Amino acid sequence: MLAPVALHGITFAYGEGELRRPVLRDVQLDVAPGEIVLLTGPSGSGKTTLLTLIGALRAMQEGSARVLGLELAGAGEGARVALRRRIGFIFQNHNLLGFLTARQNVAMALEMQGTLDEADRLARAGELLASVGLADHTEKLPAKLSGGQRQRVAVARALAADPGLVLADEPTAALDKQSGSEVVHLLRDLAKKRGAPILMVTHDPRILDIADRIVTMEDGRIVSAAA
Amino acid sequence: MNETTRLLPWAPERTGEAAPVTPAPITKPPKPARPGLGALLYLPLRLAWRQLRAERARLLSAMAGVMFACVLVFMQLGFRAALFESATALLGGMRADIFLMHPLTTASFRPEGFPRSRAYQTLADPDVVEAVPIYLAQTTWRNPADGSRRSIQLVGFDSDAGALRFDGIEAVADALKRPDTIAFDRRSRPEFGPAAAMFEAQGPFDVQLGGRMMELAGLVSIGASFGADGNAVLSETNFRRIMLNRSASVIDLAALKVRAGADIPTVVARLRATLPPDVMVMSRPELVAHERAYWENATPIGFIFAFGSLMGLIVGMVIVYQILFSDIANHIREYATLKAIGYSNGFLSRVVMGAALILAIIGFIPGIIMSTWLYGVVGGATFLPLRMELERGLTVFGLIFGMCVIAGLLAMRKLRDADPADMF
Ligand SMILES: Nc1ncnc2c1ncn2[C@@H]1O[C@H](COP(=O)(O)OP(=O)(O)OP(=O)(O)O)[C@@H](O)[C@H]1O
Ligand SMILES: [Mg+2]
């Protein structure tokens, strides 16, 4: 089976000319189907940059990246937008729309699929919220939820469209120990059930136990991969 | 059976039939799911509405801004139309087929005289059955109630002639034949005094016109215009009794009546060809348009109202732009998140345009209601014919809509700042 993520020779730099700063140097990385990979490393080592490249949020410069079957090098805006719909993103901040209820926020991720009608979208959003333990909070606005609850809504949103890949960048950074660990374990369980691989950037030593593999980056290079 | 033949094109049933030349496609490759029209238009609009609704105070101020622009434009356009309409009330009130006028006459309140014989010359045309000379002049009128003086427009002509008609002239035609009688325009401005009410209450009475006592023997209905706040209609002879220095052989306007069934433009063209160049021949709409063109071009009235409307639209646009812009700026992370989870730039642009459209509609509705009410109030106070008309409503909606679209397009540029790569 094809690897959901296959990176080859990724090199990336910010800035132009004199100000050009290389951030990624010849990165090789594969993520196997259903695998949970944690990406760690010192600040500024290029983890977030790598994640934005894989998520098709940033244009590639050098190297080859096949994500869910799409070669990102030279891919057009339309293809990249379409790919993003098949990826579940979880950000450091929940980034929920403040004027929508938890249920509506999750349903937003389904609107772009065009396969479900409104009633089905809301029903499915309700199921997902129940699966992250928020069955009683579906009609609340994000402002009425705790930080951990909001991040769980974000997990539900990321998984709503049955993504082929989940990308998360320090999803526990804004949470206390207890709810941080709850959220990532929930994420792991749900992703495992669906067979979706996870690539997660984290500094948080408390959550390393969920990983199938831990990859460490340093100065734009992958320096070690522990199983 | 159909099912079998479709699935199995080689099935024996097929060979026996007169088979169609091309078999129906067996299966279609599964099409990638695409959002339909609903997703293209309805979903962005709904998102825009939910976002607007979330902040009541901001929504209300946006609504008030659009409503304000709307009322301003309605009032400007209403005044403009009413002023131009009333500018031509005197000429518009004259019911005749064709008119003669001196080419140098720019407006009816300041006519240039031409020979009376021109009016009778037109009778040589086989289609012209009647020609009525008209004398125009302004003189002073003394308010019968308080004695104050105002300038009034005199219209002197043979009221028996059928060629020229004002509303109500039939009832007073006989009375006007007597010496020193006039018919007063009941729609003159109120500064002329309660002459119409007095006439209705007590019958004919004497009024002072240009220093001469005249009998107010009846009422006609014409309306105040730019050049004249009030009007009085009287016979040629009585006209010259007030305007002592006017000669009967120099007239200011001539009204012609054509034979029933004659084609007016043809007659106009023929008269233009035969009459000397010291008179202009015009149909009634042309005469009204000539008068209106004077007020439109020789005065800044048209410009003033266009400018006022434009100002209203610009203020409204700035308000709508501010609202849309700050909505995007305050939600920039959410917009970037939407981009990150696969919402296209086009979708988000439609959200902004949807918000602009919603503001246009929810501002326009109270705007048109308030304007209709104001038309009634202001029209009553100024005697201007202010009316809400469908065409004007559509025009203003178009303008307000355009205003919101431009504001939306300007605000949309802010969407570029929502970069999904900044989200992590
Ligand atoms: N948009 C940008 N423009 C220019 N330089 C950037 C930009 N984003 C990141 N950088 C720089 O690139 C380098 C790598 O940044 P990146 O965010 O990928 O590191 P990181 O491993 O995620 O660090 P952290 O653990 O602190 O989040 C850093 O030195 C950073 O300053
Ligand atoms: Mg980072």
Side-chain angles (χ1 to χ4, degrees), chain A residues 48 57-58 81 84-85 89-91 95 97 99-100 104 108 111 113 115 118 157 169, chain B residues 33 35 43 46-47 50-51 54 333-334 337-340 342-343 347 420-421 423-424:
Chain A
T48 294
L57 301 174
R58 211 182 271 291
V81 170
R84 283 184 221 150
R85 293 179 193 158
F89 290 94
I90 300 170
F91 308 98
N95 293 339
L97 296 184
F99 53 89
L100 296 183
Q104 288 168 340
M108 285 292 291
E111 280 184 1
Q113 306 295 325
T115 46
E118 177 71 4
R157 178 174 64 180
D169 194 357
Chain B
L43 292 179
R46 188 179 66 175
L47 190 63
R50 285 177 171 171
Q51 180 167 346
R333 290 188 67 79
E334 285 88 343
T337 308
L338 288 178
K339 280 190 187 180
Y343 280 81
F347 183 97
M423 291 316 298
F424 280 138

mmCIF file of all heavy atoms in Angstrom, chain A residues 48 57-58 81 84-85 89-91 95 97 99-100 104 108 111 113 115 118 157 169, chain B residues 33 35 43 46-47 50-51 54 333-334 337-340 342-343 347 420-421 423-424:
data_model
loop_
_atom_site.group_PDB
_atom_site.id
_atom_site.type_symbol
_atom_site.label_atom_id
_atom_site.label_comp_id
_atom_site.label_asym_id
_atom_site.label_seq_id
_atom_site.Cartn_x
_atom_site.Cartn_y
_atom_site.Cartn_z
ATOM 1 N N THR A 48 7.286 23.101 12.056
ATOM 2 C CA THR A 48 6.042 23.704 11.562
ATOM 3 C C THR A 48 6.110 23.922 10.053
ATOM 4 O O THR A 48 5.145 23.670 9.329
ATOM 5 C CB THR A 48 5.805 25.041 12.285
ATOM 6 O OG1 THR A 48 5.574 24.762 13.667
ATOM 7 C CG2 THR A 48 4.612 25.768 11.712
ATOM 8 N N LEU A 57 -0.266 23.953 2.542
ATOM 9 C CA LEU A 57 -0.588 25.325 2.944
ATOM 10 C C LEU A 57 0.462 26.298 2.432
ATOM 11 O O LEU A 57 0.280 27.503 2.482
ATOM 12 C CB LEU A 57 -0.661 25.417 4.474
ATOM 13 C CG LEU A 57 -1.676 24.505 5.140
ATOM 14 C CD1 LEU A 57 -1.558 24.571 6.660
ATOM 15 C CD2 LEU A 57 -3.083 24.874 4.712
ATOM 16 N N ARG A 58 1.541 25.784 1.961
ATOM 17 C CA ARG A 58 2.672 26.590 1.512
ATOM 18 C C ARG A 58 3.184 25.970 0.221
ATOM 19 O O ARG A 58 3.113 24.749 0.062
ATOM 20 C CB ARG A 58 3.755 26.522 2.591
ATOM 21 C CG ARG A 58 4.629 27.723 2.727
ATOM 22 C CD ARG A 58 5.657 27.473 3.800
ATOM 23 N NE ARG A 58 5.244 27.855 5.147
ATOM 24 C CZ ARG A 58 5.073 29.101 5.548
ATOM 25 N NH1 ARG A 58 5.236 30.104 4.710
ATOM 26 N NH2 ARG A 58 4.732 29.357 6.789
ATOM 27 N N VAL A 81 -6.105 23.034 -2.771
ATOM 28 C CA VAL A 81 -7.318 23.244 -1.969
ATOM 29 C C VAL A 81 -8.076 21.931 -1.838
ATOM 30 O O VAL A 81 -8.556 21.558 -0.757
ATOM 31 C CB VAL A 81 -8.205 24.344 -2.588
ATOM 32 C CG1 VAL A 81 -9.563 24.387 -1.896
ATOM 33 C CG2 VAL A 81 -7.521 25.703 -2.490
ATOM 34 N N ARG A 84 -6.432 19.693 0.682
ATOM 35 C CA ARG A 84 -6.652 20.107 2.077
ATOM 36 C C ARG A 84 -7.974 19.583 2.615
ATOM 37 O O ARG A 84 -8.121 19.354 3.812
ATOM 38 C CB ARG A 84 -6.658 21.628 2.170
ATOM 39 C CG ARG A 84 -5.285 22.232 2.103
ATOM 40 C CD ARG A 84 -5.406 23.720 2.291
ATOM 41 N NE ARG A 84 -4.518 24.432 1.397
ATOM 42 C CZ ARG A 84 -4.774 25.648 0.918
ATOM 43 N NH1 ARG A 84 -5.905 26.263 1.224
ATOM 44 N NH2 ARG A 84 -3.923 26.232 0.124
ATOM 45 N N ARG A 85 -8.950 19.413 1.707
ATOM 46 C CA ARG A 85 -10.234 18.890 2.182
ATOM 47 C C ARG A 85 -10.111 17.452 2.645
ATOM 48 O O ARG A 85 -10.974 16.950 3.350
ATOM 49 C CB ARG A 85 -11.276 18.964 1.058
ATOM 50 C CG ARG A 85 -11.616 20.384 0.712
ATOM 51 C CD ARG A 85 -12.626 20.466 -0.396
ATOM 52 N NE ARG A 85 -12.675 21.840 -0.873
ATOM 53 C CZ ARG A 85 -13.112 22.223 -2.055
ATOM 54 N NH1 ARG A 85 -13.578 21.319 -2.895
ATOM 55 N NH2 ARG A 85 -13.107 23.476 -2.391
ATOM 56 N N PHE A 89 -6.905 19.070 9.992
ATOM 57 C CA PHE A 89 -5.908 19.923 10.644
ATOM 58 C C PHE A 89 -6.311 20.199 12.087
ATOM 59 O O PHE A 89 -7.471 20.480 12.370
ATOM 60 C CB PHE A 89 -5.818 21.271 9.922
ATOM 61 C CG PHE A 89 -5.184 21.188 8.556
ATOM 62 C CD1 PHE A 89 -5.974 21.046 7.423
ATOM 63 C CD2 PHE A 89 -3.809 21.271 8.402
ATOM 64 C CE1 PHE A 89 -5.400 20.981 6.166
ATOM 65 C CE2 PHE A 89 -3.235 21.211 7.142
ATOM 66 C CZ PHE A 89 -4.027 21.062 6.019
ATOM 67 N N ILE A 90 -5.341 20.119 12.972
ATOM 68 C CA ILE A 90 -5.583 20.552 14.352
ATOM 69 C C ILE A 90 -4.490 21.543 14.712
ATOM 70 O O ILE A 90 -3.303 21.251 14.569
ATOM 71 C CB ILE A 90 -5.572 19.362 15.327
ATOM 72 C CG1 ILE A 90 -6.674 18.369 14.935
ATOM 73 C CG2 ILE A 90 -5.796 19.857 16.753
ATOM 74 C CD1 ILE A 90 -6.587 17.065 15.677
ATOM 75 N N PHE A 91 -4.923 22.739 15.109
ATOM 76 C CA PHE A 91 -3.956 23.801 15.348
ATOM 77 C C PHE A 91 -3.716 23.958 16.840
ATOM 78 O O PHE A 91 -4.443 23.413 17.668
ATOM 79 C CB PHE A 91 -4.484 25.116 14.766
ATOM 80 C CG PHE A 91 -4.906 24.991 13.326
ATOM 81 C CD1 PHE A 91 -6.240 24.811 12.987
ATOM 82 C CD2 PHE A 91 -3.965 25.036 12.309
ATOM 83 C CE1 PHE A 91 -6.623 24.690 11.664
ATOM 84 C CE2 PHE A 91 -4.347 24.919 10.990
ATOM 85 C CZ PHE A 91 -5.677 24.747 10.661
ATOM 86 N N ASN A 95 -9.154 27.697 16.906
ATOM 87 C CA ASN A 95 -9.578 28.405 15.693
ATOM 88 C C ASN A 95 -10.988 28.027 15.254
ATOM 89 O O ASN A 95 -11.261 27.864 14.061
ATOM 90 C CB ASN A 95 -8.617 28.155 14.537
ATOM 91 C CG ASN A 95 -7.266 28.766 14.796
ATOM 92 O OD1 ASN A 95 -7.154 29.678 15.613
ATOM 93 N ND2 ASN A 95 -6.247 28.269 14.149
ATOM 94 N N LEU A 97 -14.942 28.959 14.679
ATOM 95 C CA LEU A 97 -15.652 30.198 14.354
ATOM 96 C C LEU A 97 -16.532 30.560 15.550
ATOM 97 O O LEU A 97 -17.404 29.784 15.948
ATOM 98 C CB LEU A 97 -16.496 30.029 13.094
ATOM 99 C CG LEU A 97 -15.693 29.743 11.817
ATOM 100 C CD1 LEU A 97 -16.611 29.691 10.612
ATOM 101 C CD2 LEU A 97 -14.604 30.772 11.592
ATOM 102 N N PHE A 99 -18.918 32.548 16.037
ATOM 103 C CA PHE A 99 -20.345 32.803 15.888
ATOM 104 C C PHE A 99 -21.124 31.552 15.512
ATOM 105 O O PHE A 99 -22.313 31.628 15.228
ATOM 106 C CB PHE A 99 -20.596 33.922 14.863
ATOM 107 C CG PHE A 99 -19.940 33.699 13.534
ATOM 108 C CD1 PHE A 99 -20.602 33.012 12.540
ATOM 109 C CD2 PHE A 99 -18.666 34.172 13.289
ATOM 110 C CE1 PHE A 99 -20.002 32.800 11.318
ATOM 111 C CE2 PHE A 99 -18.059 33.969 12.062
ATOM 112 C CZ PHE A 99 -18.732 33.275 11.068
ATOM 113 N N LEU A 100 -20.430 30.412 15.490
ATOM 114 C CA LEU A 100 -21.128 29.162 15.183
ATOM 115 C C LEU A 100 -21.085 28.248 16.405
ATOM 116 O O LEU A 100 -20.117 28.266 17.168
ATOM 117 C CB LEU A 100 -20.457 28.458 14.000
ATOM 118 C CG LEU A 100 -20.478 29.182 12.655
ATOM 119 C CD1 LEU A 100 -19.829 28.313 11.588
ATOM 120 C CD2 LEU A 100 -21.888 29.552 12.245
ATOM 121 N N GLN A 104 -22.229 23.355 14.456
ATOM 122 C CA GLN A 104 -22.077 24.041 13.165
ATOM 123 C C GLN A 104 -20.610 24.119 12.754
ATOM 124 O O GLN A 104 -20.288 23.997 11.569
ATOM 125 C CB GLN A 104 -22.669 25.455 13.249
ATOM 126 C CG GLN A 104 -24.194 25.457 13.292
ATOM 127 C CD GLN A 104 -24.757 26.814 13.667
ATOM 128 O OE1 GLN A 104 -24.063 27.649 14.245
ATOM 129 N NE2 GLN A 104 -26.014 27.030 13.348
ATOM 130 N N MET A 108 -19.080 22.567 9.309
ATOM 131 C CA MET A 108 -18.365 23.367 8.296
ATOM 132 C C MET A 108 -17.363 22.515 7.517
ATOM 133 O O MET A 108 -17.118 22.738 6.343
ATOM 134 C CB MET A 108 -17.587 24.506 8.964
ATOM 135 C CG MET A 108 -18.399 25.675 9.456
ATOM 136 S SD MET A 108 -19.137 26.659 8.176
ATOM 137 C CE MET A 108 -17.717 27.444 7.438
ATOM 138 N N GLU A 111 -19.138 20.725 4.680
ATOM 139 C CA GLU A 111 -19.821 21.460 3.613
ATOM 140 C C GLU A 111 -19.096 21.347 2.289
ATOM 141 O O GLU A 111 -19.708 21.267 1.233
ATOM 142 C CB GLU A 111 -19.949 22.941 4.008
ATOM 143 C CG GLU A 111 -21.094 23.202 4.952
ATOM 144 C CD GLU A 111 -21.254 24.686 5.256
ATOM 145 O OE1 GLU A 111 -20.485 25.500 4.709
ATOM 146 O OE2 GLU A 111 -22.154 25.009 6.043
ATOM 147 N N GLN A 113 -17.470 18.997 1.123
ATOM 148 C CA GLN A 113 -17.455 17.670 0.509
ATOM 149 C C GLN A 113 -18.532 17.549 -0.555
ATOM 150 O O GLN A 113 -18.365 16.861 -1.541
ATOM 151 C CB GLN A 113 -17.658 16.583 1.569
ATOM 152 C CG GLN A 113 -16.668 16.672 2.719
ATOM 153 C CD GLN A 113 -15.237 16.425 2.268
ATOM 154 O OE1 GLN A 113 -15.012 15.632 1.385
ATOM 155 N NE2 GLN A 113 -14.295 17.125 2.874
ATOM 156 N N THR A 115 -21.211 15.975 -0.462
ATOM 157 C CA THR A 115 -21.860 14.671 -0.568
ATOM 158 C C THR A 115 -23.054 14.553 0.373
ATOM 159 O O THR A 115 -23.969 13.795 0.099
ATOM 160 C CB THR A 115 -20.871 13.539 -0.229
ATOM 161 O OG1 THR A 115 -20.170 13.907 0.955
ATOM 162 C CG2 THR A 115 -19.878 13.349 -1.352
ATOM 163 N N GLU A 118 -27.729 19.114 4.372
ATOM 164 C CA GLU A 118 -27.587 19.840 5.642
ATOM 165 C C GLU A 118 -27.935 18.959 6.850
ATOM 166 O O GLU A 118 -27.196 18.909 7.833
ATOM 167 C CB GLU A 118 -28.481 21.086 5.589
ATOM 168 C CG GLU A 118 -28.510 21.908 6.859
ATOM 169 C CD GLU A 118 -27.200 22.652 7.122
ATOM 170 O OE1 GLU A 118 -26.298 22.590 6.264
ATOM 171 O OE2 GLU A 118 -27.098 23.272 8.185
ATOM 172 N N ARG A 157 -13.827 18.299 14.370
ATOM 173 C CA ARG A 157 -13.852 18.944 13.063
ATOM 174 C C ARG A 157 -12.789 18.338 12.141
ATOM 175 O O ARG A 157 -13.042 18.084 10.972
ATOM 176 C CB ARG A 157 -13.600 20.451 13.202
ATOM 177 C CG ARG A 157 -13.578 21.156 11.864
ATOM 178 C CD ARG A 157 -13.480 22.654 11.991
ATOM 179 N NE ARG A 157 -12.219 23.067 12.608
ATOM 180 C CZ ARG A 157 -11.880 24.333 12.843
ATOM 181 N NH1 ARG A 157 -12.723 25.295 12.530
ATOM 182 N NH2 ARG A 157 -10.729 24.623 13.390
ATOM 183 N N ASP A 169 -0.296 20.489 15.038
ATOM 184 C CA ASP A 169 0.896 21.213 15.494
ATOM 185 C C ASP A 169 0.701 21.641 16.935
ATOM 186 O O ASP A 169 -0.094 22.530 17.220
ATOM 187 C CB ASP A 169 1.153 22.428 14.594
ATOM 188 C CG ASP A 169 2.557 22.991 14.812
ATOM 189 O OD1 ASP A 169 3.268 22.464 15.689
ATOM 190 O OD2 ASP A 169 2.926 23.934 14.101
ATOM 191 N N ALA B 33 -16.882 14.216 -5.847
ATOM 192 C CA ALA B 33 -17.970 15.015 -5.300
ATOM 193 C C ALA B 33 -17.634 16.496 -5.414
ATOM 194 O O ALA B 33 -16.573 16.948 -4.991
ATOM 195 C CB ALA B 33 -18.183 14.641 -3.835
ATOM 196 N N PRO B 35 -19.201 20.454 -4.745
ATOM 197 C CA PRO B 35 -20.300 21.195 -4.153
ATOM 198 C C PRO B 35 -21.205 21.752 -5.246
ATOM 199 O O PRO B 35 -20.702 22.264 -6.259
ATOM 200 C CB PRO B 35 -19.604 22.328 -3.392
ATOM 201 C CG PRO B 35 -18.141 22.114 -3.541
ATOM 202 C CD PRO B 35 -17.897 21.035 -4.515
ATOM 203 N N LEU B 43 -24.554 28.553 0.828
ATOM 204 C CA LEU B 43 -23.709 28.376 2.009
ATOM 205 C C LEU B 43 -22.903 29.629 2.366
ATOM 206 O O LEU B 43 -22.864 30.019 3.531
ATOM 207 C CB LEU B 43 -22.797 27.159 1.828
ATOM 208 C CG LEU B 43 -23.524 25.807 1.809
ATOM 209 C CD1 LEU B 43 -22.541 24.672 1.592
ATOM 210 C CD2 LEU B 43 -24.295 25.589 3.106
ATOM 211 N N ARG B 46 -25.279 32.112 3.867
ATOM 212 C CA ARG B 46 -25.696 31.755 5.217
ATOM 213 C C ARG B 46 -24.583 32.047 6.221
ATOM 214 O O ARG B 46 -24.833 32.587 7.303
ATOM 215 C CB ARG B 46 -26.053 30.268 5.266
ATOM 216 C CG ARG B 46 -26.668 29.870 6.591
ATOM 217 C CD ARG B 46 -27.036 28.423 6.637
ATOM 218 N NE ARG B 46 -25.850 27.577 6.590
ATOM 219 C CZ ARG B 46 -25.896 26.255 6.705
ATOM 220 N NH1 ARG B 46 -27.058 25.644 6.827
ATOM 221 N NH2 ARG B 46 -24.788 25.542 6.653
ATOM 222 N N LEU B 47 -23.365 31.726 5.833
ATOM 223 C CA LEU B 47 -22.242 31.996 6.728
ATOM 224 C C LEU B 47 -22.128 33.501 6.978
ATOM 225 O O LEU B 47 -21.903 33.945 8.111
ATOM 226 C CB LEU B 47 -20.948 31.456 6.120
ATOM 227 C CG LEU B 47 -19.739 31.464 7.053
ATOM 228 C CD1 LEU B 47 -19.965 30.556 8.239
ATOM 229 C CD2 LEU B 47 -18.471 31.079 6.313
ATOM 230 N N ARG B 50 -24.819 34.539 9.379
ATOM 231 C CA ARG B 50 -24.535 34.128 10.759
ATOM 232 C C ARG B 50 -23.469 35.017 11.378
ATOM 233 O O ARG B 50 -23.535 35.360 12.553
ATOM 234 C CB ARG B 50 -24.072 32.670 10.774
ATOM 235 C CG ARG B 50 -25.224 31.717 10.558
ATOM 236 C CD ARG B 50 -24.744 30.296 10.494
ATOM 237 N NE ARG B 50 -25.861 29.370 10.490
ATOM 238 C CZ ARG B 50 -25.724 28.076 10.272
ATOM 239 N NH1 ARG B 50 -24.539 27.560 10.046
ATOM 240 N NH2 ARG B 50 -26.774 27.292 10.284
ATOM 241 N N GLN B 51 -22.489 35.387 10.554
ATOM 242 C CA GLN B 51 -21.420 36.240 11.078
ATOM 243 C C GLN B 51 -21.949 37.635 11.400
ATOM 244 O O GLN B 51 -21.637 38.193 12.447
ATOM 245 C CB GLN B 51 -20.304 36.315 10.047
ATOM 246 C CG GLN B 51 -19.155 37.189 10.511
ATOM 247 C CD GLN B 51 -17.931 37.014 9.641
ATOM 248 O OE1 GLN B 51 -17.840 36.073 8.863
ATOM 249 N NE2 GLN B 51 -16.997 37.920 9.777
ATOM 250 N N ALA B 54 -24.168 37.725 14.488
ATOM 251 C CA ALA B 54 -23.523 37.475 15.773
ATOM 252 C C ALA B 54 -23.226 38.771 16.512
ATOM 253 O O ALA B 54 -23.161 38.782 17.731
ATOM 254 C CB ALA B 54 -22.236 36.685 15.568
ATOM 255 N N ARG B 333 -8.111 34.898 11.629
ATOM 256 C CA ARG B 333 -7.643 33.539 11.920
ATOM 257 C C ARG B 333 -8.689 32.502 11.500
ATOM 258 O O ARG B 333 -8.349 31.434 11.004
ATOM 259 C CB ARG B 333 -7.325 33.389 13.413
ATOM 260 C CG ARG B 333 -6.084 34.165 13.845
ATOM 261 C CD ARG B 333 -5.700 33.825 15.286
ATOM 262 N NE ARG B 333 -5.256 32.439 15.426
ATOM 263 C CZ ARG B 333 -4.040 32.018 15.085
ATOM 264 N NH1 ARG B 333 -3.162 32.865 14.589
ATOM 265 N NH2 ARG B 333 -3.692 30.761 15.245
ATOM 266 N N GLU B 334 -9.947 32.858 11.726
ATOM 267 C CA GLU B 334 -10.999 31.928 11.332
ATOM 268 C C GLU B 334 -11.041 31.775 9.803
ATOM 269 O O GLU B 334 -11.213 30.672 9.289
ATOM 270 C CB GLU B 334 -12.362 32.408 11.832
ATOM 271 C CG GLU B 334 -12.576 32.207 13.323
ATOM 272 C CD GLU B 334 -12.067 33.384 14.143
ATOM 273 O OE1 GLU B 334 -11.272 34.182 13.608
ATOM 274 O OE2 GLU B 334 -12.453 33.489 15.324
ATOM 275 N N THR B 337 -8.242 29.642 8.869
ATOM 276 C CA THR B 337 -8.557 28.252 9.193
ATOM 277 C C THR B 337 -9.441 27.639 8.120
ATOM 278 O O THR B 337 -9.213 26.509 7.676
ATOM 279 C CB THR B 337 -9.279 28.172 10.553
ATOM 280 O OG1 THR B 337 -8.510 28.879 11.506
ATOM 281 C CG2 THR B 337 -9.461 26.741 10.982
ATOM 282 N N LEU B 338 -10.449 28.409 7.700
ATOM 283 C CA LEU B 338 -11.337 27.889 6.655
ATOM 284 C C LEU B 338 -10.540 27.591 5.391
ATOM 285 O O LEU B 338 -10.747 26.566 4.742
ATOM 286 C CB LEU B 338 -12.452 28.896 6.358
ATOM 287 C CG LEU B 338 -13.512 29.025 7.451
ATOM 288 C CD1 LEU B 338 -14.546 30.070 7.086
ATOM 289 C CD2 LEU B 338 -14.186 27.677 7.701
ATOM 290 N N LYS B 339 -9.610 28.491 5.050
ATOM 291 C CA LYS B 339 -8.771 28.214 3.880
ATOM 292 C C LYS B 339 -7.979 26.937 4.104
ATOM 293 O O LYS B 339 -7.833 26.113 3.207
ATOM 294 C CB LYS B 339 -7.805 29.375 3.630
ATOM 295 C CG LYS B 339 -8.422 30.560 2.921
ATOM 296 C CD LYS B 339 -7.319 31.531 2.517
ATOM 297 C CE LYS B 339 -7.874 32.825 1.962
ATOM 298 N NZ LYS B 339 -6.780 33.747 1.578
ATOM 299 N N ALA B 340 -7.460 26.770 5.343
ATOM 300 C CA ALA B 340 -6.638 25.601 5.624
ATOM 301 C C ALA B 340 -7.448 24.311 5.517
ATOM 302 O O ALA B 340 -6.928 23.294 5.069
ATOM 303 C CB ALA B 340 -6.026 25.716 7.023
ATOM 304 N N GLY B 342 -9.760 23.710 3.519
ATOM 305 C CA GLY B 342 -10.183 23.413 2.146
ATOM 306 C C GLY B 342 -11.228 24.336 1.567
ATOM 307 O O GLY B 342 -11.797 24.038 0.523
ATOM 308 N N TYR B 343 -11.503 25.460 2.230
ATOM 309 C CA TYR B 343 -12.405 26.433 1.617
ATOM 310 C C TYR B 343 -11.614 27.268 0.619
ATOM 311 O O TYR B 343 -10.500 27.712 0.921
ATOM 312 C CB TYR B 343 -13.039 27.332 2.686
ATOM 313 C CG TYR B 343 -14.201 26.657 3.382
ATOM 314 C CD1 TYR B 343 -13.982 25.751 4.404
ATOM 315 C CD2 TYR B 343 -15.493 26.908 2.976
ATOM 316 C CE1 TYR B 343 -15.040 25.106 5.017
ATOM 317 C CE2 TYR B 343 -16.563 26.278 3.594
ATOM 318 C CZ TYR B 343 -16.322 25.381 4.614
ATOM 319 O OH TYR B 343 -17.368 24.742 5.213
ATOM 320 N N PHE B 347 -14.952 30.892 -2.391
ATOM 321 C CA PHE B 347 -16.014 30.742 -1.400
ATOM 322 C C PHE B 347 -15.972 31.905 -0.413
ATOM 323 O O PHE B 347 -16.992 32.525 -0.114
ATOM 324 C CB PHE B 347 -15.839 29.415 -0.667
ATOM 325 C CG PHE B 347 -16.929 29.125 0.332
ATOM 326 C CD1 PHE B 347 -17.991 28.315 -0.018
ATOM 327 C CD2 PHE B 347 -16.889 29.669 1.607
ATOM 328 C CE1 PHE B 347 -19.002 28.051 0.894
ATOM 329 C CE2 PHE B 347 -17.899 29.419 2.523
ATOM 330 C CZ PHE B 347 -18.952 28.600 2.164
ATOM 331 N N PRO B 420 -3.293 30.624 5.267
ATOM 332 C CA PRO B 420 -3.413 29.381 6.039
ATOM 333 C C PRO B 420 -2.059 28.869 6.517
ATOM 334 O O PRO B 420 -1.990 28.135 7.488
ATOM 335 C CB PRO B 420 -4.058 28.401 5.047
ATOM 336 C CG PRO B 420 -3.792 28.971 3.698
ATOM 337 C CD PRO B 420 -3.733 30.450 3.867
ATOM 338 N N ALA B 421 -0.960 29.288 5.862
ATOM 339 C CA ALA B 421 0.358 28.821 6.303
ATOM 340 C C ALA B 421 0.738 29.421 7.646
ATOM 341 O O ALA B 421 1.606 28.909 8.342
ATOM 342 C CB ALA B 421 1.413 29.170 5.256
ATOM 343 N N MET B 423 -1.183 29.483 10.125
ATOM 344 C CA MET B 423 -2.063 28.948 11.148
ATOM 345 C C MET B 423 -1.350 28.092 12.173
ATOM 346 O O MET B 423 -1.755 28.022 13.313
ATOM 347 C CB MET B 423 -3.181 28.124 10.506
ATOM 348 C CG MET B 423 -4.166 28.946 9.731
ATOM 349 S SD MET B 423 -4.619 30.428 10.614
ATOM 350 C CE MET B 423 -5.362 29.719 12.062
ATOM 351 N N PHE B 424 -0.281 27.410 11.763
ATOM 352 C CA PHE B 424 0.393 26.510 12.714
ATOM 353 C C PHE B 424 1.377 27.274 13.586
ATOM 354 O O PHE B 424 1.887 28.306 13.171
ATOM 355 C CB PHE B 424 1.137 25.417 11.945
ATOM 356 C CG PHE B 424 0.236 24.318 11.492
ATOM 357 C CD1 PHE B 424 0.358 23.768 10.224
ATOM 358 C CD2 PHE B 424 -0.752 23.814 12.332
ATOM 359 C CE1 PHE B 424 -0.455 22.743 9.807
ATOM 360 C CE2 PHE B 424 -1.572 22.783 11.915
ATOM 361 C CZ PHE B 424 -1.421 22.244 10.647
#
